[in-house]
Amino acid sequence: MGGAYKLLGQELLRLRLERGLSLRKLARQLGMTAHSGMVDYERGIRIPPPDLMSSYVQVLQPDGNHLTQLYESAMADRAQQRIHNSVPTGAPPGTADLEQVARQYAEQIAALNDVVRALEELTRKLCTAIT
């Protein structure tokens, strides 16, 4: 897997340990019934799905948006890897354009993640104002 997977995993591990949480305790706080999949996330083997990543951010409360940026990089890496793997070897000329398409998709994913973060922040503010 890509380097972004590893960096995200290292950061998830660092934040968990920094907060003194065991895998089991963090799994409970994340609303998970088992912690086995979390090991793959911390080793950089897999990327958490978006809803679980949101829960990680809420529970671990990292400073700034470094964790979110690492997640977006890992997702962009995965998108590029999937596109790259879908091009058959010995592909005809012009398939190099797929690399450009992959970069464009990665940029669009990052932009959409910015919108999601803004909406989440607005939701938090509205909930605070209501209560």
Side-chain angles (χ1 to χ4, degrees):
M1 295 295 144
Y5 281 50
K6 294 276 186 211
L7 292 173
L8 175 62
Q10 290 169 355
E11 185 65 3
L12 290 173
L13 174 63
R14 185 190 72 76
L15 288 168
R16 178 177 64 80
L17 295 176
E18 191 175 87
R19 274 119 183 104
L21 297 170
S22 68
L23 279 170
R24 284 188 172 97
K25 186 170 184 177
L26 179 58
R28 281 192 301 272
Q29 290 184 12
L30 293 173
M32 298 174 68
T33 57
H35 68 281
S36 57
M38 295 170 58
V39 174
D40 287 348
Y41 303 143
E42 290 184 357
R43 288 184 178 165
I45 297 169
R46 293 175 44 214
I47 303 173
D51 58 331
L52 182 57
M53 194 63 212
S54 254
S55 296
Y56 264 112
V57 170
Q58 287 178 337
V59 170
L60 296 176
Q61 298 180 342
D63 295 331
N65 63 352
H66 180 67
L67 185 60
T68 303
Q69 289 173 339
L70 288 173
Y71 180 70
E72 290 170 1
S73 293
M75 293 295 282
D77 266 12
R78 181 167 65 184
Q80 282 193 318
Q81 179 99 24
R82 286 181 177 175
I83 289 172
H84 180 70
N85 289 343
S86 69
V87 177
T89 55
T95 53
D97 294 337
L98 288 176
E99 296 284 331
Q100 177 63 25
V101 170
R103 280 191 291 280
Q104 289 172 343
Y105 279 129
E107 290 169 4
Q108 290 173 351
I109 289 169
L112 288 173
N113 283 328
D114 289 341
V115 171
V116 169
R117 276 196 309 279
L119 288 172
E120 287 173 344
E121 181 62 26
L122 180 59
T123 301
R124 276 192 287 278
K125 287 179 181 179
L126 287 172
C127 288
T128 303
I130 291 171
T131 57

